[in-house]
Amino acid sequence: MSYTLINPATEAPMETIEHLSVEATDEAIARAKVAQKKWAALAPADRAMALRRFAAAVDADVENLAQLEVRNSGHPISQARWEANHVRNVLEYYSGSPERLMGKQIPVPGGIDVTFNEPIGVVGIITPWNFPMTIASWGFAPALAAGNAVVLKPAEWTPLTSIRLGELALASGLPEGLFQVLPGKGSVVGNRFITNPNVGKVVFTGSTAVGKQIMRGAADQIKRITLELGGKSANIVFNDADVAKAAATAPYSVFENSGQDCCARSRILVQRSAMDAFMEGFETAVKGVKVGDPLLESTEMGPLVSKAHLESVEKYLDGANVLFRGSAPSGPGYWFAPTVVLANGVNDRCFTEEIFGPIVTVHAFEDEAEAIEIANATEFGLSGSIWTREIGRGIRVARAVESGNLSVNSHSSVRFWTPFGGFKQSGLGRELGPDAPLHFTEEKNVFIPAD
Ligand code: NDP
């Protein structure tokens, strides 16, 4: 089985990627199991040094990785460079972890009691196509730091940067079998991570529908899982906010990566008395988003990832109340102009479903209580923004919105040194932040008597 990649900005066919079978996946997992034992037995400082060398290899390859992501995923080059640098930063950050997995010494009568953070073993990581290399690094860097081996299945459409990271890991001196990238179908390679008993934990990022399947499958072996799933996040603008700034920045909170972002603030809630002022500034800002050739430094938004995905996004415009649109190139490529829709009530599917494209839906609210009620009227809970000049309101609303990652008077993106993850059906567990390596360990308690 194989898959021919398509450049989403030109529709030109590119490399053909061979897909692994179930048998080849099992062989890779068996190699990982052997490599993990040796890796975990290394001195923590030696594991840390190996990860620093991996980070240095990524650093030397940033431009190449960025160019690969432009061709494979259509990300604007400036964004793709940020992503490649982010992978290096994540590796550097977690290369500080091996010597810091310290466990605890707990007071007990008659002896001492200590805890150890033991590696889980082999960790399977399944990634989506929207941010292929960054999301992969959120799993593999802390997992390796905690003494595990990693098998990584990239999305079928966007495997190139993951494959390159696998090569860089080996070239930097990481042991054979410790970090393997296994291109293939989710139903074959990804599913085998769930069913093969030698995989101790699965980290899945993708749709909520597949996340539920993973959770069901993991139950058979009580397999550890982390799930990072969908979102339908709210950008709440109060009438006491810097409305001009909220309007000018709103496009970049939802149209970045062409809206193919689980953190996209795809529902804008505006206090009714501020609606006219907000929409005036927002229209100017949306029409100013630079959509085009991802290789140009000035480009802010590229194409959608594939024809199939473009068709799925286009369907949302059937019957939608479109207010205005930005621009997009014509000709080859999976282009879709930034689009602003007025919600036909809170049950409008543009307002409730994760479109994962550059469509944002606007809805008015009367007061703080209604803003919170509408923001929480979703099965998702991943991110969100709150715009207000009143500090107390910023705090109250941030505490009341059922979501894992909020920012006040800003649209903060992911920071690798702070935790990231979702409430409700946006996921299970957290990635990133100082505790991430702990999520790739089992806590062991040992009592030693003093007599
Ligand atoms: P999918 O859930 O379809 O796929 C994600 C990954 O899972 C892919 O590698 C896919 O492989 C694999 N997969 C598919 N079916 C199975 C299966 N039965 N068992 C194991 N693995 C499987 O999502 P998309 O890739 O289409 O990504 C878009 C979705 O992901 C959006 O809905 C978005 O909300 C969500 N997402 C969430 C993020 C978060 O952090 N919360 C971040 C990014 C995306 P294959 O490519 O072969 O289909």
Side-chain angles (χ1 to χ4, degrees), residues 249-266:
T249 56
Y252 302 97
S253 75
V254 58
F255 298 142
E256 257 185 6
N257 202 24
S258 308
Q260 302 166 128
D261 181 348
C262 49
C263 289
R265 276 70 162 174
S266 52

mmCIF file of all heavy atoms in Angstrom, residues 249-266:
data_model
loop_
_atom_site.group_PDB
_atom_site.id
_atom_site.type_symbol
_atom_site.label_atom_id
_atom_site.label_comp_id
_atom_site.label_asym_id
_atom_site.label_seq_id
_atom_site.Cartn_x
_atom_site.Cartn_y
_atom_site.Cartn_z
ATOM 1 N N THR A 249 -7.430 41.904 15.866
ATOM 2 C CA THR A 249 -6.691 40.655 16.107
ATOM 3 C C THR A 249 -7.547 39.406 15.878
ATOM 4 O O THR A 249 -7.004 38.311 15.722
ATOM 5 C CB THR A 249 -6.152 40.609 17.563
ATOM 6 O OG1 THR A 249 -7.256 40.786 18.460
ATOM 7 C CG2 THR A 249 -5.116 41.697 17.808
ATOM 8 N N ALA A 250 -8.868 39.568 15.864
ATOM 9 C CA ALA A 250 -9.754 38.394 15.774
ATOM 10 C C ALA A 250 -9.463 37.493 14.563
ATOM 11 O O ALA A 250 -9.485 36.260 14.706
ATOM 12 C CB ALA A 250 -11.216 38.832 15.785
ATOM 13 N N PRO A 251 -9.158 38.046 13.367
ATOM 14 C CA PRO A 251 -8.907 37.137 12.239
ATOM 15 C C PRO A 251 -7.762 36.173 12.508
ATOM 16 O O PRO A 251 -7.790 35.019 12.080
ATOM 17 C CB PRO A 251 -8.536 38.084 11.082
ATOM 18 C CG PRO A 251 -9.126 39.397 11.458
ATOM 19 C CD PRO A 251 -9.083 39.457 12.957
ATOM 20 N N TYR A 252 -6.754 36.649 13.274
ATOM 21 C CA TYR A 252 -5.568 35.814 13.492
ATOM 22 C C TYR A 252 -5.805 34.787 14.602
ATOM 23 O O TYR A 252 -4.945 33.940 14.849
ATOM 24 C CB TYR A 252 -4.352 36.713 13.767
ATOM 25 C CG TYR A 252 -4.155 37.642 12.587
ATOM 26 C CD1 TYR A 252 -4.659 38.946 12.601
ATOM 27 C CD2 TYR A 252 -3.564 37.171 11.420
ATOM 28 C CE1 TYR A 252 -4.551 39.761 11.490
ATOM 29 C CE2 TYR A 252 -3.453 37.987 10.303
ATOM 30 C CZ TYR A 252 -3.952 39.281 10.342
ATOM 31 O OH TYR A 252 -3.859 40.074 9.222
ATOM 32 N N SER A 253 -6.956 34.870 15.253
ATOM 33 C CA SER A 253 -7.274 33.864 16.266
ATOM 34 C C SER A 253 -8.100 32.731 15.661
ATOM 35 O O SER A 253 -8.381 31.750 16.347
ATOM 36 C CB SER A 253 -8.064 34.498 17.408
ATOM 37 O OG SER A 253 -9.390 34.743 17.012
ATOM 38 N N VAL A 254 -8.492 32.887 14.407
ATOM 39 C CA VAL A 254 -9.331 31.840 13.807
ATOM 40 C C VAL A 254 -8.873 31.433 12.398
ATOM 41 O O VAL A 254 -9.050 30.294 12.000
ATOM 42 C CB VAL A 254 -10.822 32.253 13.811
ATOM 43 C CG1 VAL A 254 -11.071 33.541 13.070
ATOM 44 C CG2 VAL A 254 -11.707 31.158 13.263
ATOM 45 N N PHE A 255 -8.245 32.345 11.668
ATOM 46 C CA PHE A 255 -7.871 32.014 10.288
ATOM 47 C C PHE A 255 -6.429 31.541 10.152
ATOM 48 O O PHE A 255 -5.997 31.185 9.059
ATOM 49 C CB PHE A 255 -8.099 33.220 9.372
ATOM 50 C CG PHE A 255 -9.548 33.658 9.315
ATOM 51 C CD1 PHE A 255 -9.888 35.002 9.266
ATOM 52 C CD2 PHE A 255 -10.574 32.722 9.312
ATOM 53 C CE1 PHE A 255 -11.222 35.408 9.220
ATOM 54 C CE2 PHE A 255 -11.909 33.107 9.276
ATOM 55 C CZ PHE A 255 -12.236 34.459 9.227
ATOM 56 N N GLU A 256 -5.664 31.570 11.238
ATOM 57 C CA GLU A 256 -4.291 31.060 11.142
ATOM 58 C C GLU A 256 -4.345 29.586 10.772
ATOM 59 O O GLU A 256 -5.221 28.856 11.225
ATOM 60 C CB GLU A 256 -3.543 31.268 12.464
ATOM 61 C CG GLU A 256 -2.607 32.447 12.324
ATOM 62 C CD GLU A 256 -1.720 32.699 13.525
ATOM 63 O OE1 GLU A 256 -1.718 31.892 14.463
ATOM 64 O OE2 GLU A 256 -1.051 33.728 13.514
ATOM 65 N N ASN A 257 -3.373 29.180 9.961
ATOM 66 C CA ASN A 257 -3.371 27.810 9.423
ATOM 67 C C ASN A 257 -4.707 27.511 8.743
ATOM 68 O O ASN A 257 -5.208 26.386 8.790
ATOM 69 C CB ASN A 257 -3.059 26.770 10.512
ATOM 70 C CG ASN A 257 -2.539 25.477 9.920
ATOM 71 O OD1 ASN A 257 -1.995 25.469 8.816
ATOM 72 N ND2 ASN A 257 -2.720 24.381 10.614
ATOM 73 N N SER A 258 -5.285 28.544 8.127
ATOM 74 C CA SER A 258 -6.535 28.415 7.374
ATOM 75 C C SER A 258 -7.670 27.856 8.234
ATOM 76 O O SER A 258 -8.561 27.167 7.735
ATOM 77 C CB SER A 258 -6.338 27.528 6.132
ATOM 78 O OG SER A 258 -5.247 27.983 5.394
ATOM 79 N N GLY A 259 -7.611 28.161 9.522
ATOM 80 C CA GLY A 259 -8.673 27.688 10.423
ATOM 81 C C GLY A 259 -8.530 26.223 10.792
ATOM 82 O O GLY A 259 -9.364 25.685 11.520
ATOM 83 N N GLN A 260 -7.477 25.579 10.304
ATOM 84 C CA GLN A 260 -7.269 24.146 10.593
ATOM 85 C C GLN A 260 -6.504 24.047 11.910
ATOM 86 O O GLN A 260 -5.348 23.637 11.960
ATOM 87 C CB GLN A 260 -6.488 23.508 9.452
ATOM 88 C CG GLN A 260 -7.196 23.671 8.105
ATOM 89 C CD GLN A 260 -6.296 23.342 6.919
ATOM 90 O OE1 GLN A 260 -6.668 22.556 6.083
ATOM 91 N NE2 GLN A 260 -5.126 23.920 6.839
ATOM 92 N N ASP A 261 -7.155 24.495 12.947
ATOM 93 C CA ASP A 261 -6.485 24.653 14.231
ATOM 94 C C ASP A 261 -7.510 24.310 15.318
ATOM 95 O O ASP A 261 -8.579 24.916 15.382
ATOM 96 C CB ASP A 261 -6.018 26.116 14.360
ATOM 97 C CG ASP A 261 -5.282 26.380 15.652
ATOM 98 O OD1 ASP A 261 -5.319 25.514 16.554
ATOM 99 O OD2 ASP A 261 -4.683 27.465 15.770
ATOM 100 N N CYS A 262 -7.169 23.343 16.148
ATOM 101 C CA CYS A 262 -8.122 22.937 17.183
ATOM 102 C C CYS A 262 -8.406 24.076 18.157
ATOM 103 O O CYS A 262 -9.442 24.077 18.807
ATOM 104 C CB CYS A 262 -7.603 21.717 17.925
ATOM 105 S SG CYS A 262 -5.908 21.914 18.452
ATOM 106 N N CYS A 263 -7.483 25.050 18.262
ATOM 107 C CA CYS A 263 -7.684 26.191 19.172
ATOM 108 C C CYS A 263 -8.375 27.376 18.502
ATOM 109 O O CYS A 263 -8.526 28.433 19.128
ATOM 110 C CB CYS A 263 -6.344 26.668 19.720
ATOM 111 S SG CYS A 263 -5.628 25.504 20.876
ATOM 112 N N ALA A 264 -8.751 27.238 17.234
ATOM 113 C CA ALA A 264 -9.361 28.367 16.515
ATOM 114 C C ALA A 264 -10.551 28.918 17.301
ATOM 115 O O ALA A 264 -11.412 28.174 17.758
ATOM 116 C CB ALA A 264 -9.817 27.911 15.134
ATOM 117 N N ARG A 265 -10.560 30.252 17.457
ATOM 118 C CA ARG A 265 -11.706 30.889 18.129
ATOM 119 C C ARG A 265 -12.767 31.089 17.055
ATOM 120 O O ARG A 265 -12.910 32.168 16.481
ATOM 121 C CB ARG A 265 -11.301 32.222 18.737
ATOM 122 C CG ARG A 265 -10.658 32.146 20.107
ATOM 123 C CD ARG A 265 -9.286 31.546 20.104
ATOM 124 N NE ARG A 265 -8.532 31.877 21.333
ATOM 125 C CZ ARG A 265 -7.344 31.394 21.635
ATOM 126 N NH1 ARG A 265 -6.762 30.510 20.829
ATOM 127 N NH2 ARG A 265 -6.724 31.755 22.724
ATOM 128 N N SER A 266 -13.508 30.017 16.770
ATOM 129 C CA SER A 266 -14.407 30.020 15.612
ATOM 130 C C SER A 266 -15.816 30.500 15.949
ATOM 131 O O SER A 266 -16.682 30.557 15.078
ATOM 132 C CB SER A 266 -14.451 28.624 14.988
ATOM 133 O OG SER A 266 -14.746 27.678 15.980
#
